[in-house]
Amino acid sequence: GAVVSQHPSWVICKSGTSVKIECRSLDFQATTMFWYRQFPKQSLMLMATSNEGSKATYEQGVEKDKFLINHASLTLSTLTVTSAHPEDSSFYICSAQNPSTDTQYFGPGTRLTVL
Amino acid sequence: DQQVKQNSPSLSVQEGRISILNCDYTNSMFDYFLWYKKYPAEGPTFLISISSIKDKNEDGRFTVFLNKSAKHLSLHIVPSQPGDSAVYFCAATGSDTGFQKLVFGTGTRLLVSP
């Protein structure tokens, strides 16, 4: 069964609105979770590393004020795309790292379409 | 700067034959490599990995080879099955990031025909 879940699986929103994506680790407590973004026919690009109880670490070029990450518990991390614009339309994937094995398990992804 | 490269965007193979997917990297700090399989609109699924202290790792039909001097790795699938049709990503990480940050290649779409 799924180890990591994401909700919603797809979302369509109007430009200027904010969208929250949830990532849940179902089988283990994840101190560290990751958020990736994938454009069509391109690689998965790491956006940020989410650490439970502390601020997320963002990769170069990723606006932390636009992509708000909250890792409030050991099983939940959220990504909020604030004031979304059409160029934010993408496939967002989270992963959770199993602290026992260091293996990253990926969620099914969320397709965001901003009109 | 693409640190992990998969130069073949697609590969077509007949069922029962061998599929060979290639991956090259540039960062000498990478010392752990992974292969993921991905279906459309789904997250990647871990397949197999290899540490830089090894040159081969085998798991059933999947074998990963690592040539550290050439900074090259490959995934062999034999025999290939139609259900193997998917996009395959190689990924790399290193001890400098605590093996946490994965850097992905651009993927190779494998099509296995009956």
Side-chain angles (χ1 to χ4, degrees), chain A residues 32 34 36 38 42-44 46 59 91 93 97 104 106-108, chain B residues 2 36 38 41-44 46 89 99-102 104-106:
Chain A
T32 305
F34 303 87
Y36 294 83
Q38 185 187 24
Q42 292 191 28
S43 175
L44 287 85
L46 179 65
E59 294 301 299
F91 193 56
I93 305 175
Q97 186 171 34
Q104 284 190 36
F106 287 82
Chain B
Q2 191 70 31
Y36 286 85
K38 185 180 182 299
E42 292 186 13
F46 171 75
F89 289 94
F99 298 102
Q100 289 200 345
K101 289 188 179 180
L102 293 178
F104 284 85
T106 50

Side-chain angles (χ1 to χ4, degrees), chain B residues 2 5 29-30 37 61 78 80 102 105-106 110 114:
Chain B
Q2 191 70 31
K5 300 177 184 178
M29 296 299 290
F30 291 148
K37 178 180 181 179
R61 296 186 298 114
V78 56
S80 301
L102 293 178
T106 50
L110 173 66

Side-chain angles (χ1 to χ4, degrees), chain A residues 3-4 28 94-98 101 103-107, chain B residues 36 44 46:
Chain A
V3 178
V4 177
F28 54 85
C94 73
S95 71
Q97 186 171 34
N98 187 325
T101 63
T103 301
Q104 284 190 36
Y105 293 89
F106 287 82
Chain B
Y36 286 85
F46 171 75

Side-chain angles (χ1 to χ4, degrees), chain B residues 5-74:
Chain B
K5 300 177 184 178
Q6 292 175 256
N7 291 320
S8 297
S10 64
L11 174 68
S12 292
V13 172
Q14 275 195 317
E15 182 178 8
R17 307 295 284 266
I18 185 171
S19 295
I20 300 177
L21 297 101
N22 294 302
C23 178
D24 297 289
Y25 63 97
T26 58
N27 191 337
S28 57
M29 296 299 290
F30 291 148
D31 49 17
Y32 192 75
F33 306 89
L34 310 92
W35 283 93
Y36 286 85
K37 178 180 181 179
K38 185 180 182 299
Y39 293 111
E42 292 186 13
T45 303
F46 171 75
L47 270 180
I48 192 169
S49 63
I50 188 167
S51 164
S52 61
I53 61 174
K54 291 186 174 182
D55 54 17
K56 177 182 174 181
N57 188 25
E58 192 171 352
D59 183 2
R61 296 186 298 114
F62 302 92
T63 303
V64 56
F65 295 92
L66 175 63
N67 183 334
K68 198 176 177 183
S69 61
K71 293 190 175 66
H72 176 84
L73 62 154
S74 61

